[in-house]
Amino acid sequence: MIKIANPINLVLLISFFLSNGLYLNAQKKISLDEDWRFHFGNAADVSKDFDYGKTALLHKSNVFATTIVNPKFIDTTWKKINVPHDWVVELPFVKSDQVEMDSHGYKPVGGAYPETSIGWYRKHFSVDKKDDGKRFELQFDGIYRNAEIWFNGFYVGTNFSGYIGNSYDVSDYVNFEGDNVIVIRVDATQYEGWFYEGAGIYRHVWLNVTDKVFIPSDGVFVHSKIKGKNATVTIETEVENKNLQPSNAVVYSIITDRNGKQLGKTSEQKVALSVNEKTTIKQNVNLSNVMLWSLENPYLYKVISVVKQNNQIVHQTKTRFGIKTVTFDAKKGFFLNGKHLKIQGTNNHQDHAGIGSAIPDFMQYYRVKLLKEMGSNSYRASHNAPTPELLEACDSLGMLVVDEQRLLNSSPEYIDQFKRLIKRDRNHASVFLWSIGNEEQNIQGNEYGKRIAKTLLAIQSALDPTRTSTYAADMANDFKGVNEVIPIRGFNYREFAVADYHRDHPNQPLLGTEMGSTVTTRGIYEKDEIRAYVPDQDITHPWWASKAETWWKLAAENDYWLGGFVWTGFDYRGEPTPYKWPNISSHFGILDVCGFPKNIYYYYKSWWTNEDILHISPHWNWSEKIGQSVEVWVNTNADEVELFLNGKSLGKKTMPRNSHLKWQVNYEPGTLEAIAFKNGKRLTAKVETTTHPVKVIAVADKSTVLADGKDGTVVNISLVDDKGREVPNANNMIYFKLTGDAKIIGVGNGDPSSHEADKCTDGAWQRSAFNGKCQVIIQAGKTVGDLKLEVKSNGLNSTIVEINQKK
């Protein structure tokens, strides 16, 4: 039975529990990100790997002699670090003919580099003696990879995956009288992907302290059914008993709006749990006049799940969720909340300029906002479990997500990974589709692939019956294998075959899981095989891919296409197609590795948004080409465009939908201007010949940050001439000096062939501009006050960026 409680009484009740410490003492979620020690081991020489493999560590519990897992091992000379931490981003670039080095960005990690592929981490911390008798759990959100974990000298587990985290009950090993020590050996000698992956504890670490009757991690599942303006919300709450005797408890849940106002409460259900028993309580709450989660209004409710014993709260969790409907129609396309929506997606790996894979939480929001500004409405986590904070950013900002399993594999290891992925992410409003794998060429077209897919689909349906799955197949009009059983047929490229497949299988919805793959280098307009650059226009693509216009015209103009995901939203390290060394980064991004737009960005923004877009390329600094023909592109969603050079008309052209316009223009310095009309509205844009740079300009993504040691801001740098115009081919070296309680954590410039350091020593931060731009990333400290970033370049006027750091 559902009881709708008086909101005022519920507020007072929860306030009472909080103010009296009844809830706060019952559980804690403590960040363990700070004050770690790090040291390289060695995969080939045990004497350089702290004798690991030579000294017996597993023959007896808590027998460690003088080895590295001994809590008293002296680690004071080790490097001090905080996590998230990616040790690979700090390594030098190394030229190699090994294909894995090419695909991983020429960083010396993997089996061929034993001295930089093993990392040891140690962490000391104390535990409040008042918590004796509680349950203690170590939670690792992601360690790349094959992490062996010891706690106070006890081996507690190995997490094989570099992408999906795991938790370990360490209650029996806690020391209440002195140091508690975590020791982790991370082995990155084997790769999981064919792209830059980094290495180390590159996501958050937590200590969860709960009562021994508790809700396990990811133990709440919230889903809903909508009828008219109302919804029935189902809350499935898992409760576990780790006491050494049977225990009774009461379980209930409260639903609040985004501001904390109580909207409904379940009945208080009694449960009796035997020793080590785990049970699931399923309850419903009816809500009226619900706010649906959408791209424009990503409204999130909260469920507060409560476990009580002896009339006191012993465990409580908060789960944010959204209410929405999703429909995949094989003939009409995709619908969100009953509204037709073409999926305008991007694929993305999880690294960024300057910081590699250890991306701070604030950077997730920065990157998702950039994609939304372009008009993208969907994100495919390619090709692995994303960090939880990426999904939180998508939940909050309104971005749909395809959540993807690392491998199409039904072994116990990968089934366990898949289950952990689904249970971890199924409450996220942004997740609208699961993916069971990507491009498994050896099995996707045969019975192996079909059987494995059926096994994984059954698991997905059992753990999350509210969603369905796709599989990213690099196959044409082929049905045998995975495609026979997958609910949503995914196409990686092969866009020419989608119509034929739809003809032959008209009842199976079709999605472009990877499309496009134009390769471009920001600000470059001629192919350069020496520096490994490709032109910054929609003209070059690998044999297996297509131009942006090719695939998007097909997707946009045919309702049976649900839409698709471009490969990729951002450039990423590794996969330097079509080149190799000295190219260390991809060219696939619509935005470069810093998030600076390339010209193809304006193609997608023209057709993925309703904004007025008018963009001219290339730049107009071509002193070496006076009198020579220059190809000018105009990207716009206007109806017609007229181009002018120094006031002289070069002709008017009608804008074909989902396309672009081109002129051949004999170069002369000055002003190239476009005048366009869209539904009678006049639009203008221009590019001008600039003089040399005279000043550095710096713009922070946000001018206020929280003094919590975790927040931060992105500062984008450009070089301008005496009229304030950005100089598009300036490559000056830029120097950074930060004062205040904060730190620079990375620099970048978007140059896919740059071998400059992403990490510099304190006091020596620098990065050259690449075609007029570079970037510096700042992470907040913990002291309230003003931060000042001085940005300068030899011979140029400098600038100072002021950032307010507050509580």
Side-chain angles (χ1 to χ4, degrees):
M1 177 180 178
I2 305 304
K3 296 180 181 179
I4 305 300
N6 183 310
I8 296 176
N9 289 341
L10 283 169
V11 170
L12 293 174
L13 178 64
I14 290 177
S15 297
F16 172 79
F17 280 129
L18 292 175
S19 64
N20 285 277
L22 298 178
Y23 162 62
L24 292 178
N25 289 333
Q27 71 177 65
K28 301 174 185 177
K29 187 179 181 71
I30 302 168
S31 172
L32 295 182
D33 284 354
E34 297 184 353
D35 298 324
W36 287 78
R37 299 294 185 270
F38 173 78
H39 200 292
F40 280 118
N42 193 295
D45 186 341
V46 294
S47 68
K48 296 179 181 178
D49 197 31
F50 303 97
D51 286 340
Y52 178 82
K54 177 181 176 183
T55 304
L57 294 175
L58 303 175
H59 65 302
K60 298 282 187 180
S61 288
N62 200 229
V63 175
F64 35 69
T66 58
T67 66
I68 191 174
V69 303
N70 187 330
K72 295 182 179 180
F73 179 91
I74 304 300
D75 55 26
T76 53
T77 61
W78 288 22
K79 183 178 179 180
K80 296 179 181 180
I81 58 116
N82 292 337
V83 302
H85 173 244
D86 174 3
W87 81 64
V88 177
V89 72
E90 300 181 38
L91 298 176
F93 296 98
V94 176
K95 185 178 181 180
S96 171
D97 293 329
Q98 183 183 352
V99 65
E100 287 81 9
M101 284 285 284
D102 165 27
S103 65
H104 282 75
Y106 294 101
K107 290 286 189 175
V109 65
Y113 300 92
E115 67 280 3
T116 50
S117 296
I118 302 294
W120 286 92
Y121 291 86
R122 289 175 59 89
K123 162 77 176 175
H124 298 252
F125 64 99
S126 60
V127 172
D128 192 335
K129 193 171 184 178
K130 293 178 182 178
D131 289 328
D132 194 357
K134 300 294 184 183
R135 174 182 172 271
F136 292 82
E137 178 185 74
L138 289 176
Q139 176 184 326
F140 300 94
D141 287 348
I143 304 174
Y144 191 88
R145 60 168 298 280
N146 198 31
E148 296 176 84
I149 301 160
W150 287 265
F151 184 67
N152 288 339
F154 289 91
Y155 170 77
V156 296
T158 298
N159 192 30
F160 177 85
S161 171
Y163 294 103
I164 188 71
N166 215 340
S167 299
Y168 304 90
D169 189 327
V170 294
S171 304
D172 291 345
Y173 315 134
V174 174
N175 179 9
F176 294 98
E177 303 298 333
D179 262 1
N180 290 272
V181 182
I182 305 170
V183 180
I184 303 177
R185 184 181 190 266
V186 181
D187 183 346
T189 54
Q190 182 59 264
Y191 304 110
E192 286 194 58
W194 51 96
F195 38 83
Y196 179 88
E197 299 178 278
I201 308 175
Y202 73 104
R203 294 179 182 171
H204 295 302
V205 181
W206 309 93
L207 177 67
N208 299 319
V209 184
T210 71
D211 194 86
K212 291 192 175 181
V213 176
F214 63 100
I215 300 170
S217 298
D218 307 321
V220 175
F221 180 30
V222 186
H223 48 98
S224 56
K225 289 187 177 181
I226 301 171
K227 186 174 183 180
K229 294 183 178 181
N230 304 325
T232 298
V233 179
T234 299
I235 306 160
E236 301 183 32
T237 307
E238 199 173 80
V239 186
E240 187 171 356
N241 176 31
K242 280 294 184 179
N243 283 312
L244 299 181
Q245 63 277 336
S247 298
N248 298 321
V250 172
V251 179
Y252 64 94
S253 292
I254 298 166
I255 294 182
T256 78
D257 66 10
R258 60 165 47 152
N259 298 316
K261 178 183 176 181
Q262 280 73 28
L263 304 176
K265 178 179 179 291
T266 69
S267 59
E268 297 192 6
Q269 186 164 336
K270 296 179 179 179
V271 292
L273 298 165
S274 57
V275 177
N276 289 324
E277 184 181 2
K278 185 187 298 184
T279 190
T280 299
I281 310 302
K282 190 172 183 178
Q283 299 172 301
N284 295 326
V285 173
N286 294 319
L287 298 181
S288 59
N289 296 316
V290 294
M291 296 283 291
L292 300 183
W293 185 93
S294 67
L295 305 178
E296 301 78 19
N297 181 26
Y299 192 91
L300 296 171
Y301 293 90
K302 295 177 184 177
V303 164
I304 302 171
S305 303
V306 181
V307 178
K308 288 201 307 185
Q309 284 188 301
N310 300 320
N311 210 32
Q312 290 191 2
I313 295 175
V314 296
H315 198 188
Q316 177 174 299
T317 65
K318 291 183 180 180
T319 305
R320 296 199 307 172
F321 73 99
I323 299 173
K324 68 180 188 295
T325 64
V326 167
T327 304
F328 302 91
D329 189 290
K331 298 179 177 61
K332 297 179 181 179
F334 175 70
F335 294 82
L336 178 63
N337 300 327
K339 178 183 176 182
H340 183 263
L341 184 72
K342 189 71 74 170
I343 293 171
Q344 299 169 174
T346 63
N347 289 273
N348 294 284
H349 288 311
Q350 59 175 9
D351 65 288
H352 190 90
I355 48 181
S357 294
I359 298 183
D361 299 351
F362 70 89
M363 288 298 299
Q364 304 292 353
Y365 290 83
Y366 180 78
R367 286 163 60 90
V368 173
K369 283 192 291 185
L370 291 179
L371 295 173
K372 276 189 69 80
E373 288 168 3
M374 181 182 71
S376 178
N377 58 29
S378 191
Y379 184 112
R380 178 173 168 233
S382 314
H383 304 284
N384 47 261
T387 189
E389 289 73 27
L390 180 274
L391 298 181
E392 290 173 7
C394 292
D395 289 345
S396 298
L397 298 175
M399 175 73 76
L400 294 165
V401 175
V402 173
D403 206 339
E404 188 156 275
Q405 165 79 337
R406 175 72 281 277
L407 283 183
L408 186 70
N409 190 310
S410 57
S411 70
E413 169 63 36
Y414 285 100
I415 282 178
D416 184 53
Q417 289 185 26
F418 192 44
K419 288 179 176 179
R420 279 185 275 155
L421 174 71
I422 293 175
K423 291 189 71 174
R424 190 196 71 173
D425 295 348
R426 60 189 176 179
N427 291 317
H428 286 283
S430 56
V431 175
F432 78 113
L433 189 62
W434 301 105
S435 171
I436 63 170
N438 174 78
E439 292 187 1
E440 298 277 5
Q441 292 94 347
N442 286 351
I443 58 174
Q444 63 188 6
N446 59 35
E447 281 297 310
Y448 289 132
K450 180 180 177 180
R451 291 178 206 151
I452 295 168
K454 290 172 73 174
T455 297
L456 296 179
L457 288 171
I459 292 168
Q460 179 258 293
S461 181
L463 293 177
D464 181 14
T466 70
R467 296 180 180 88
T468 189
S469 289
T470 188
Y471 166 78
D474 53 338
M475 304 167 73
N477 187 13
D478 303 296
F479 188 62
K480 185 178 179 181
V482 176
N483 292 336
E484 295 180 67
V485 296
I486 200 71
I488 310 294
R489 165 69 208 270
F491 277 86
N492 279 13
Y493 315 106
R494 318 306 194 267
E495 70 285 338
F496 57 85
V498 174
D500 290 343
Y501 190 94
H502 175 66
R503 177 199 63 211
D504 296 341
H505 309 283
N507 297 319
Q508 189 177 25
L510 311 176
L511 175 63
T513 38
E514 280 180 33
M515 289 287 133
S517 284
T518 303
V519 285
T520 59
T521 308
R522 178 179 57 79
I524 299 293
Y525 293 94
E526 294 179 346
K527 186 176 182 180
D528 185 338
E529 295 187 351
I530 302 300
R531 294 184 296 174
Y533 298 148
V534 280
D536 191 10
Q537 302 290 15
D538 187 22
I539 57 177
T540 310
H541 63 83
W543 65 265
W544 37 261
S546 75
K547 295 187 293 184
E549 287 190 29
T550 301
W551 88 268
W552 179 245
K553 284 181 179 178
L554 293 170
E557 296 167 10
N558 291 286
D559 287 343
Y560 58 82
W561 278 68
L562 301 174
F565 294 82
V566 183
W567 189 266
T568 52
F570 294 90
D571 276 341
Y572 54 93
R573 300 157 189 270
E575 285 200 303
T577 308
Y579 301 112
K580 293 184 180 297
W581 182 271
N583 191 183
I584 49 83
S585 178
S586 82
H587 300 269
F588 293 115
I590 302 169
L591 305 117
D592 70 18
V593 73
C594 291
F596 296 133
K598 305 181 190 179
N599 286 318
I600 200 170
Y601 170 96
Y602 298 96
Y603 171 76
Y604 284 111
K605 189 164 186 174
S606 293
W607 306 115
W608 283 8
T609 75
N610 293 321
E611 297 178 35
D612 297 332
I613 306 300
L614 181 60
H615 175 75
I616 308 170
S617 58
H619 60 73
W620 212 239
N621 285 16
W622 301 103
S623 58
E624 74 281 11
K625 291 190 175 184
I626 292 177
Q628 298 180 34
S629 180
V630 174
E631 188 172 77
V632 174
W633 288 49
V634 173
N635 287 112
T636 184
N637 49 18
D639 304 317
E640 61 179 17
V641 180
E642 188 171 5
L643 193 66
F644 297 84
L645 178 58
N646 294 326
K648 180 181 178 181
S649 176
L650 303 178
K652 184 183 294 185
K653 295 187 179 184
T654 301
M655 182 69 234
R657 185 156 185 81
N658 298 314
S659 189
H660 71 282
L661 296 174
K662 284 195 294 190
W663 281 261
Q664 289 297 136
V665 179
N666 289 330
Y667 178 76
E668 62 180 60
T671 301
L672 188 66
E673 183 176 25
I675 298 176
F677 288 89
K678 181 181 178 185
N679 297 324
K681 181 179 179 180
R682 187 174 186 266
L683 312 177
T684 62
K686 65 181 179 181
V687 291
E688 295 180 289
T689 306
T690 72
T691 57
H692 61 276
V694 300
K695 185 177 181 179
V696 181
I697 299 294
V699 178
D701 170 58
K702 52 189 179 185
S703 58
T704 300
V705 297
L706 296 175
D708 61 359
K710 296 181 181 297
D711 197 11
T713 187
V714 178
V715 182
N716 290 325
I717 317 300
S718 58
L719 302 170
V720 300
D721 68 5
D722 56 354
K723 294 184 178 179
R725 300 171 299 191
E726 184 173 302
V727 181
N729 51 1
N731 297 322
N732 305 53
M733 181 62 72
I734 313 295
Y735 303 94
F736 306 100
K737 182 181 179 181
L738 180 65
T739 56
D741 179 29
K743 59 183 178 181
I744 297 173
I745 58 172
V747 289
N749 62 11
D751 180 354
S753 295
S754 174
H755 295 177
E756 294 178 54
D758 294 283
K759 306 279 189 179
C760 305
T761 57
D762 288 341
W765 284 94
Q766 65 180 43
R767 191 64 182 245
S768 63
F770 177 63
N771 292 329
K773 297 179 182 295
C774 67
Q775 183 176 86
V776 57
I777 302 171
I778 296 172
Q779 189 162 45
K782 295 183 178 181
T783 305
V784 171
D786 291 333
L787 308 175
K788 290 187 177 181
L789 177 70
E790 183 181 5
V791 185
K792 60 184 181 180
S793 182
N794 293 337
L796 306 184
N797 293 326
S798 62
T799 190
I800 291 178
V801 178
E802 294 188 354
I803 301 161
N804 178 245
Q805 193 162 271
K806 67 176 186 178
K807 289 294 184 182

